[in-house]
Amino acid sequence: MTVPAVAVTAGLGIALAQGVLAASFAVSGQQFKVSASSLEGEGFVQYGSVDVNAREELIPVAVTAIREAKLHNLCQSVVTSLPVVGDISLHLTAGRKAPVEASNLFVDATQLSGDAVFSNIEIGRDASTLDKGPADAQGMQDLFAQQADTVRISDLQQTAWATNAGTFKLSGLSMNVSKGKKECF
């Protein structure tokens, strides 16, 4: 029974060493929430992967990668519970007047919802053969993936472990830290 577990762990170790796994850094022990009234993207791919935290624990994620993205009314929040102090919220907004712009955007999510429209979507493609998203947006061979020329999502809500971007332009950025829970959704 331990042989399959060791094989999977070894396989994940090799994938991590080869850069096949999701985040290129150890993720924190907290997920964060992101919402936007709309997201428009060119070059969309999505595939399963695994993030690793500082304790070297494996965390399953769905990687959504978009070559060029615009987000309207972006909100990002994370709540930290501290002994004695209680809940502390970091709340960030941007893109109210002009959209937030990102290139080579990677989001390692555990939940995503909204109303989506895809153009020229391919569902069930091998994750190692993806070619519509950012250059490095490919998963492990034989794993399920999907890709599309474009994506539009309205009323976006997602919970994620990590976000990476080549560039991330936050117009009208506002960030505050406050006591209590102040989440995007």
Side-chain angles (χ1 to χ4, degrees), residues 167-183:
T167 60
F168 206 41
K169 181 181 173 187
L170 296 145
S171 61
L173 172 65
S174 174
M175 184 195 83
N176 65 61
V177 176
S178 59
K179 198 168 181 188
K181 284 190 177 182
K182 185 176 182 183
E183 296 183 286

Side-chain angles (χ1 to χ4, degrees), residues 116-180:
V117 176
F118 301 92
S119 67
N120 297 320
I121 192 164
E122 300 171 351
I123 300 171
R125 186 171 176 133
D126 186 295
S128 69
T129 68
L130 295 170
D131 59 7
K132 291 187 178 187
D136 296 330
Q138 292 184 332
M140 292 172 39
Q141 186 175 357
D142 297 329
L143 292 185
F144 175 91
Q146 55 190 7
Q147 68 177 2
D149 289 341
T150 64
V151 59
R152 285 192 328 260
I153 304 173
S154 58
D155 300 321
L156 170 71
Q157 293 184 344
Q158 68 182 7
T159 306
W161 285 103
T163 296
N164 296 333
T167 60
F168 206 41
K169 181 181 173 187
L170 296 145
S171 61
L173 172 65
S174 174
M175 184 195 83
N176 65 61
V177 176
S178 59
K179 198 168 181 188

Side-chain angles (χ1 to χ4, degrees), residues 7-138:
V8 168
T9 303
L12 289 171
I14 292 166
L16 184 61
Q18 294 174 344
V20 174
L21 297 184
S24 58
F25 52 87
V27 298
S28 74
Q30 298 176 277
Q31 293 190 76
F32 56 94
K33 292 184 177 182
V34 176
S35 66
S37 60
S38 66
L39 175 148
E40 296 133 22
E42 293 184 20
F44 166 88
V45 300
Q46 191 172 57
Y47 54 93
S49 190
V50 179
D51 280 350
V52 179
N53 65 19
R55 290 185 200 93
E56 297 185 9
E57 297 168 327
L58 303 176
I59 302 166
V61 295
V63 175
T64 299
I66 303 172
R67 206 171 49 252
E68 297 291 333
K70 291 184 180 180
L71 298 101
H72 298 269
N73 299 312
L74 175 73
C75 176
Q76 177 181 312
S77 64
V78 63
V79 177
T80 302
S81 295
L82 299 173
V84 181
V85 178
D87 292 334
I88 303 293
S89 296
L90 178 124
H91 192 261
L92 178 146
T93 59
R96 293 194 189 282
K97 293 180 181 175
V100 168
E101 298 177 11
S103 66
N104 297 321
L105 176 67
F106 287 77
V107 179
D108 300 354
T110 57
Q111 175 274 326
L112 178 124
S113 65
D115 298 318
V117 176
F118 301 92
S119 67
N120 297 320
I121 192 164
E122 300 171 351
I123 300 171
R125 186 171 176 133
D126 186 295
S128 69
T129 68
L130 295 170
D131 59 7
K132 291 187 178 187
D136 296 330
Q138 292 184 332

